[in-house]
Amino acid sequence: MTRGMLLGVSNTVGILAGVFGNAATGNILQHGGFIIISGLYLVTWATYREKRQAVLGGQHVRASESPVIGHITN
């Protein structure tokens, strides 16, 4: 398989994922999926927060103390 073919295949797979992902999200939301989407969001947020706590050693960092956000609010 040449590089050009590999690029074409990977682009096709990416486009198909975008098309079917949008269709699936629309279908879920049309059929009362707000609770499902909200649940997925909460699980994702909780997982992120748990991993962040593990990296920080259990310390709680406020957004205003974050080096990324702190300079914006000060």
Side-chain angles (χ1 to χ4, degrees):
M1 184 178 278
T2 65
R3 292 180 204 170
M5 289 174 61
L6 182 60
L7 181 64
V9 169
S10 65
N11 282 341
T12 302
V13 170
I15 288 172
L16 290 176
V19 169
F20 290 120
N22 284 331
T25 302
N27 194 11
I28 290 169
L29 290 175
Q30 267 187 338
H31 295 95
F34 180 75
I35 294 172
I36 294 171
I37 299 297
S38 298
L40 288 173
Y41 173 79
L42 288 174
V43 167
T44 303
W45 174 79
T47 304
Y48 165 77
R49 187 165 185 207
E50 184 178 299
K51 287 182 181 181
R52 186 170 181 216
Q53 289 293 329
V55 168
L56 295 174
Q59 298 174 351
H60 177 73
V61 177
R62 295 184 180 157
S64 60
E65 297 171 358
S66 171
V68 175
I69 300 174
H71 77 281
I72 296 171
T73 59
N74 292 335

